[in-house]
Amino acid sequence: MSDLPKTAPAIVTVKFGGPENMEVRDIPVDLPKAGEILIRVRAAGLNRADAAQREGHYPPPKGSSEIMGLECAGEVAAIGDGVTGFKLGDRVCALLAGGGYATYCAVPAIQALPLPKGFSFEQGAAIMETYCTVWTNVFERGRLQKGERLLVHGGSSGIGTSAVALAAALGAEVYATAGTAEKCQACVDLGAKRAINYKTEDYVEVIKAETGDGVDVVLDMVGGDYLARDLSIMRLEGRHVSIAALGGNTAEIPIFTMMLKRLTITGSTLRARTPEQKGAVVRGIHETVWPLFESGRIAPVIDSVMPLADAAAAHRRIESSAHIGKIILKVD
């Protein structure tokens, strides 16, 4: 621990607003508290929540780092009191409440995992927020089972590509929506039975034609008028799970449709959960997803890798929606 620098570079938001308000500054490197490990970050994953935080719309949980970044990968640089199962130099990846856009980041040890065998740091930085989100929403709240049908909106996003790949690998019949032919093809390549270009096709009509009686689970990051449309194509006892509202924060619910089909409408966020709750999700993906990574059955889709100093450009790319999969910041 004595070899740690007193300060190290991180991306700081100078004021709320656009990407131009981000800059590299040296910040203090703090030792990990009891139950934590300190990670020498080598790569950090971008998420749309980072842009919302930068704009002032998504503050970190109380007591968490003000630095953006919900997932990272790197090496264990220091170990807090009471931590077992890790040693200095271990290659790890972690789910964070914040702090990933930095050279060093402290995290509760129960939110960290060994890097999957054969994975690069960039791959490790692409999995924790997305696969934890997919696991807790699609498989825990949505209760997706082998042989059931899943519809993923935003199928070419970081979360979308993870959901398509994981659900297909675990035996579900997957459908996805995306906004270009290239993005639709990416979803099919990951295991989707059909990808629907929502700009040129009506996904409701396509799902009806393809399935006859609809889908069992919907993973929705659009919100707005998608909710009622989704409910119209759900099977009996279907589960609709909301994880974002990019298309609008309010919706009208056709109550009679919900009653007749005995539907469940739910949703969740991950960031505000306690370390213990996050640790339970992390254990779930370690048991279920790590074997799929290490056998080569699935892998994270990486759109691009940029230096930490180019975080503003990375934010512009994720906000453009031009990406397919994850955008990664490399930390030297």
Side-chain angles (χ1 to χ4, degrees), residues 2-19:
S2 59
D3 295 332
L4 293 174
K6 292 183 178 179
T7 64
I11 295 295
V12 173
T13 304
V14 179
K15 63 179 180 179
F16 294 138

Side-chain angles (χ1 to χ4, degrees), residues 108-121:
I110 57 176
Q111 293 174 210
L113 289 173
L115 209 64
K117 293 180 178 63
F119 268 39
S120 66
F121 288 124

Side-chain angles (χ1 to χ4, degrees), residues 82-95:
V83 173
T84 60
F86 293 100
K87 64 181 186 299
L88 295 180
D90 279 352
R91 292 161 57 89
V92 297
C93 50
L95 176 69

Side-chain angles (χ1 to χ4, degrees), residues 8-282:
I11 295 295
V12 173
T13 304
V14 179
K15 63 179 180 179
F16 294 138
E20 68 277 4
N21 294 314
M22 302 160 61
E23 63 180 45
V24 178
R25 289 186 182 177
D26 281 351
I27 64 169
V29 175
D30 296 322
L31 293 176
K33 300 174 184 175
E36 294 183 339
I37 59 173
L38 183 71
I39 298 174
R40 171 46 169 105
V41 178
R42 299 297 179 180
L46 262 72
N47 294 276
R48 281 191 177 270
D50 302 341
Q53 178 176 332
R54 187 203 70 226
E55 293 172 342
H57 304 315
Y58 193 38
K62 186 176 180 180
S64 300
S65 172
E66 296 288 336
I67 302 297
M68 290 175 288
L70 301 178
E71 57 192 339
C72 73
E75 300 134 334
V76 176
I79 300 173
D81 292 341
V83 173
T84 60
F86 293 100
K87 64 181 186 299
L88 295 180
D90 279 352
R91 292 161 57 89
V92 297
C93 50
L95 176 69
L96 312 172
Y101 292 18
T103 310
Y104 289 89
C105 177
V107 60
I110 57 176
Q111 293 174 210
L113 289 173
L115 209 64
K117 293 180 178 63
F119 268 39
S120 66
F121 288 124
E122 290 79 10
Q123 287 176 302
I127 56 180
M128 290 299 282
E129 173 69 16
T130 49
Y131 278 91
C132 282
T133 296
V134 170
W135 179 253
T136 192
N137 285 288
V138 174
F139 294 94
E140 293 183 335
R141 304 190 72 81
R143 307 187 306 279
L144 182 69
Q145 302 296 314
K146 182 178 180 179
E148 289 191 321
R149 297 184 188 129
L150 170 68
L151 171 61
V152 179
H153 289 305
S156 61
S157 66
I159 287 175
T161 53
S162 302
V164 170
L166 182 57
L170 293 179
E173 183 175 295
V174 183
Y175 298 85
T177 63
T180 68
E182 180 187 11
K183 290 180 177 181
C184 286
Q185 185 59 52
C187 294
V188 172
D189 292 343
L190 289 168
K193 182 176 181 180
R194 175 76 150 82
I196 305 156
N197 186 335
Y198 64 83
K199 293 182 179 179
T200 60
E201 301 176 283
D202 183 335
Y203 76 85
V204 170
E205 295 305 318
V206 173
I207 292 294
K208 287 179 178 178
E210 290 279 339
T211 68
D213 61 348
V215 299
D216 299 284
V217 179
V218 176
L219 182 64
D220 181 23
M221 59 188 76
V222 180
D225 65 0
Y226 267 45
L227 178 55
R229 298 173 69 195
D230 292 343
L231 300 190
S232 74
I233 52 172
M234 297 191 72
R235 301 166 96 178
L236 286 173
E237 305 288 354
R239 290 83 69 194
H240 185 282
V241 189
S242 294
I243 58 169
L246 299 175
N249 195 39
T250 59
E252 290 189 3
I253 297 174
I255 295 174
F256 205 51
T257 298
M258 179 179 65
M259 292 166 56
L260 286 173
K261 294 186 178 183
R262 302 188 296 276
L263 303 177
T264 298
I265 302 174
T266 185
S268 76
T269 61
L270 185 59
R271 188 181 195 185
R273 298 188 194 187
T274 66
E276 292 74 21
Q277 292 168 334
K278 291 177 183 176
V281 177
V282 167

